[in-house]
């Protein structure tokens, strides 16, 4: 099925460990986004890639890095995980021009840092 | 990008009843989007209404937009237990690299 695929779905890390969350879309969208969702906080934008070859910080970028590997793939890396990074992470993609079109979201990665 | 303010924060109804959720925003928009999130799942785009439209339908969903009042509503008719989810309204104005800001949403519970 066409859409956005995130891996892994669940992960437990120890404080200080590193990991990469993977995201791939097959809709030929130019723009991709990483959000985190915490109880009572809504979704907050971590990083985004408006087009292949570009990335930029969102609202809460500290502790994260991203790579837009190609048009399909946008990965999020935690270099040294902290308990404050325990969250559900969502990747999304869309097209935009004069209008921002609806996002397609992945099913999320539930990350626990102990 | 601006976020919408959904009201009420939580809504509890019986199966078969209609559910109405409201949204307000602050600045001019190109369109307004509604999303649904079932517990523990990713968000799903439900409907997009452009600023020059007043009403839009999709199945059991009816969305209205009043740009003069900077408000929108989502009506779900004949609700089902499967409609239990959080609903988010997202105003989109100016492209801002396609970034959208999501609020807290309305938690809808439909009792069988």
């Amino acid at each position: 099925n066409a859409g956005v695929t995130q891996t892994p779905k669940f992960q437990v890390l120890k404080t200080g460990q590193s990991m990469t969350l993977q995201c791939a879309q097959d809709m030929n969208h130019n723009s991709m986004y990483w959000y985190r969702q915490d109880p009572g906080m809504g979704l907050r934008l971590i990083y985004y890639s408006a087009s292949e070859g570009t990335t930029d910080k969102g609202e809460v970028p500290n502790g994260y890095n991203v790579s837009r590997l190609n048009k399909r793939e946008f990965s999020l890396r935690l270099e040294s995980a902290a308990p404050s990074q325990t969250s559900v992470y969502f990747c999304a993609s869309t097209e935009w021009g004069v209008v921002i079109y609806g996002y397609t979201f992945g099913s999320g990665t539930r990350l626990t840092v102990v | 990008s601006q976020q919408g303010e959904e009201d009420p924060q939580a809504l509890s109804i019986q199966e078969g009843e209609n559910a109405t959720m409201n949204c307000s925003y602050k600045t001019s928009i190109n369109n307004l989007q509604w999303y649904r999130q079932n517990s523990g799942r990713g968000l799903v785009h439900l409907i997009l209404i452009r600023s020059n439209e007043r009403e839009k339908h999709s199945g059991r969903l009816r969305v209205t937009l009043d740009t003069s009042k900077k408000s929108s509503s989502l009506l779900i008719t004949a609700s089902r237990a499967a409609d239990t989810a959080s609903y988010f309204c997202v105003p989109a104005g100016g492209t801002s690299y396609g970034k959208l800001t999501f609020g807290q949403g309305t938690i809808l519970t439909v009792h069988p």
Side-chain angles (χ1 to χ4, degrees):
Chain A
N1 291 336
V4 176
T5 302
Q6 288 184 239
T7 56
K9 293 192 186 311
F10 301 94
Q11 184 71 49
V12 178
L13 288 180
K14 294 182 179 178
T15 297
Q17 287 184 321
S18 63
M19 79 162 294
T20 299
L21 283 65
Q22 307 285 354
C23 175
Q25 53 97 4
D26 59 7
M27 295 167 294
N28 204 35
H29 286 163
N30 280 308
S31 300
M32 299 183 73
Y33 308 83
W34 277 105
Y35 288 85
R36 59 178 289 174
Q37 185 176 34
D38 303 292
M41 300 290 289
L43 276 78
R44 292 182 291 169
L45 181 65
I46 306 171
Y47 269 93
Y48 66 98
S49 172
S51 61
E52 186 180 356
T54 71
T55 61
D56 211 339
K57 296 177 181 179
E59 182 186 353
V60 287
N62 290 346
Y64 305 95
N65 284 301
V66 290
S67 295
R68 184 74 183 266
L69 304 169
N70 47 56
K71 191 171 185 178
R72 291 187 63 247
E73 298 172 288
F74 187 38
S75 62
L76 178 71
R77 183 160 178 85
L78 288 70
E79 291 291 353
S80 179
S84 61
Q85 294 177 304
T86 293
S87 188
V88 182
Y89 292 85
F90 291 102
C91 177
S93 70
T94 193
E95 283 292 331
W96 58 273
V98 175
V99 173
I100 303 172
Y101 295 98
Y103 279 14
T104 301
F105 279 87
S107 57
T109 294
R110 189 173 297 272
L111 175 67
T112 301
V113 183
V114 297
Chain B
S1 55
Q2 62 175 316
Q3 73 178 54
E5 300 290 334
E6 296 93 350
D7 177 67
Q9 290 186 329
L11 180 60
S12 182
I13 61 174
Q14 295 295 127
E15 210 166 28
E17 294 181 338
N18 295 341
T20 299
M21 289 160 269
N22 300 299
C23 170
S24 60
Y25 57 92
K26 290 185 168 56
T27 62
S28 64
I29 59 172
N30 287 326
N31 68 65
L32 187 139
Q33 304 176 20
W34 285 90
Y35 291 80
R36 180 188 74 229
Q37 183 180 31
N38 293 92
S39 179
R41 309 287 293 275
L43 282 75
V44 174
H45 179 253
L46 294 176
I47 198 163
L48 180 154
I49 185 165
R50 296 178 186 263
S51 59
N52 61 354
E53 297 175 306
R54 291 296 168 257
E55 189 170 310
K56 199 163 183 179
H57 296 255
S58 177
R60 294 183 296 111
L61 306 181
R62 171 179 167 251
V63 169
T64 63
L65 179 63
D66 186 335
T67 54
S68 67
K69 294 181 179 178
K70 294 185 172 58
S71 66
S72 175
S73 68
L74 171 67
L75 169 68
I76 304 174
T77 59
S79 61
R80 306 165 181 168
D83 294 326
T84 294
S86 293
Y87 292 82
F88 300 87
C89 80
V90 186
T95 52
S96 192
Y97 301 105
K99 291 182 291 182
L100 295 178
T101 302
F102 293 79
Q104 301 289 325
T106 292
I107 301 171
L108 172 66
T109 303
V110 181
H111 299 280

